[in-house]
Amino acid sequence: MSTETLPTAAPRRRLAVGPRRSPILTIAALAMVAYFLLPLWWLVMASTKSNADLFSSFGLWLAPNFSLLDNLRDVFTAQDGIYLLWIRNTFLYAIVSGLGAAILATMTGYAIAKLRFRGRGGLFGIIMGAIMIPLTALAIPTYLLFAQMGLTNTPWAVILPSLVSPFGVYLMRVYAADAVPDSLIEAARVDGAGEWRIFSTIALRLLAPGFVTVLLFALVSTWNNYFLPLIMLNSTEWYPLTVGLAQWQSTAQGGSGSQALFSMVITGSLVSILPLMVAFLFLQRYWQSGLATGGVKQ
């Protein structure tokens, strides 16, 4: 008895799972990663070399002589340990200015987003316009103002201008508009809570991710600030790391003692970025959640 062969079912097409990868975008992403990481890798490698090896060995790899410990000793002992003084100043400027700028930006952004008062739109327009003004254009007028007040060559000459963060106010205004529900504020007002109590006990907790985001931006901005301390300070005891390392670099380029300073400048630059890396890694989750929540309508 013959049996008929049943027709074989046509093979199913595999459904693509996930987004398709683009080779061009992959190459572009790798190029961007290399663009940002290669200078950092060069800095790490150069910090392990002596002055002679800096000019005789391949820049992206180790030299035969490992001189990192010697370079670190030279950095922290040069000029009676002035590098430690510059680190102290930088921490002072960055922490005080960062916290102050984040607090002021959070309070201002919340007020513009949630409070109704005359001139609110005009005030926000002025803040938006201030974002467009480069900081270097305000450096000389700020110096003249502080000189009349007798605050130049003091920590206040660096801290007070750094407390103003128009971009931080804009960011917190956008974030507060969605993160703090109006119904929650109205309920607190019905219960008899004042505006300051509503902000400090209710809104501030909801604004914590945005606050940390502005804090991170302010820390990085103040830590890397160079031009403002350069014109405001004329005493090396108040220099931050940026101005102090630039002074060492100018001395090295001038030829006087250059063989003793090039490795110090490079190693000092490596040490100076380590606190920022730690702060970024510690605050990264708050930074990401803050940007994501502030940019999505609820």
Side-chain angles (χ1 to χ4, degrees):
M1 184 175 179
S2 62
T3 59
E4 296 181 358
T5 304
L6 296 177
T8 305
R12 297 179 179 178
R13 294 182 179 179
R14 294 183 178 179
L15 297 178
V17 179
R20 296 180 61 184
R21 295 183 178 180
S22 172
I24 298 178
L25 293 179
T26 302
I27 295 174
L30 292 177
M32 292 298 296
V33 170
Y35 175 80
F36 287 106
L37 291 185
L38 277 180
L40 180 60
W41 177 254
W42 179 90
L43 183 64
V44 173
M45 292 295 102
S47 299
T48 65
K49 302 177 182 180
S50 63
N51 286 281
D53 292 333
L54 281 174
F55 301 98
S56 61
S57 62
F58 180 59
L60 297 178
W61 199 244
L62 297 172
N65 300 319
F66 189 81
S67 304
L68 178 61
L69 297 180
D70 295 334
N71 294 337
L72 289 173
R73 185 187 66 248
D74 294 338
V75 167
F76 289 106
T77 59
Q79 300 179 8
D80 298 326
I82 197 171
Y83 188 84
L84 293 173
L85 196 61
W86 294 342
I87 291 180
R88 184 207 66 179
N89 297 337
T90 306
F91 269 101
L92 174 65
Y93 301 151
I95 293 176
V96 176
S97 300
L99 287 174
I103 293 173
L104 292 177
T106 302
M107 296 173 63
T108 308
Y110 169 80
I112 295 177
K114 294 301 178 180
L115 302 183
R116 301 294 182 266
F117 55 91
R118 182 176 299 178
R120 185 182 65 161
L123 176 61
F124 185 66
I126 294 174
I127 294 174
M128 291 295 295
I131 298 178
M132 308 302 174
I133 301 176
L135 296 179
T136 53
L138 301 176
I140 300 302
T142 303
Y143 171 79
L144 296 176
L145 177 63
F146 276 67
Q148 292 180 354
M149 300 171 59
L151 294 178
T152 55
N153 200 34
T154 65
W156 297 112
V158 179
I159 293 175
L160 291 180
S162 302
L163 295 177
V164 181
S165 177
F167 177 75
V169 174
Y170 167 75
L171 186 64
M172 289 308 302
R173 188 264 181 189
V174 174
Y175 185 80
D178 294 330
V180 184
D182 293 335
S183 59
L184 188 61
I185 298 177
E186 293 298 331
R189 289 171 180 168
V190 171
D191 292 338
E195 297 297 337
W196 174 252
R197 185 177 180 183
I198 294 174
F199 172 76
S200 59
T201 60
I202 299 175
L204 192 57
R205 296 182 180 181
L206 300 175
L207 296 175
F211 174 84
V212 175
T213 303
V214 176
L215 173 62
L216 180 59
F217 286 153
L219 283 175
V220 174
S221 176
T222 308
W223 190 280
N224 294 328
N225 198 350
Y226 170 74
F227 191 65
L228 180 64
L230 178 65
I231 66 172
M232 289 290 186
L233 307 174
N234 53 33
S235 177
T236 56
E237 64 176 338
W238 291 117
Y239 280 174
L241 286 170
T242 51
V243 180
L245 290 174
Q247 186 186 57
W248 278 357
Q249 176 67 15
S250 62
T251 303
Q253 291 179 343
S256 176
S258 61
Q259 293 300 315
L261 287 181
F262 276 125
S263 60
M264 287 170 48
V265 172
I266 294 174
T267 308
S269 300
L270 176 64
V271 175
S272 69
I273 67 174
L274 295 180
L276 279 184
M277 296 175 63
V278 173
F280 179 81
L281 293 176
F282 179 74
L283 300 174
Q284 183 181 14
R285 56 174 181 169
Y286 301 102
W287 177 61
Q288 291 176 341
S289 62
L291 289 181
T293 307
V296 178
K297 281 277 185 180
Q298 294 182 350

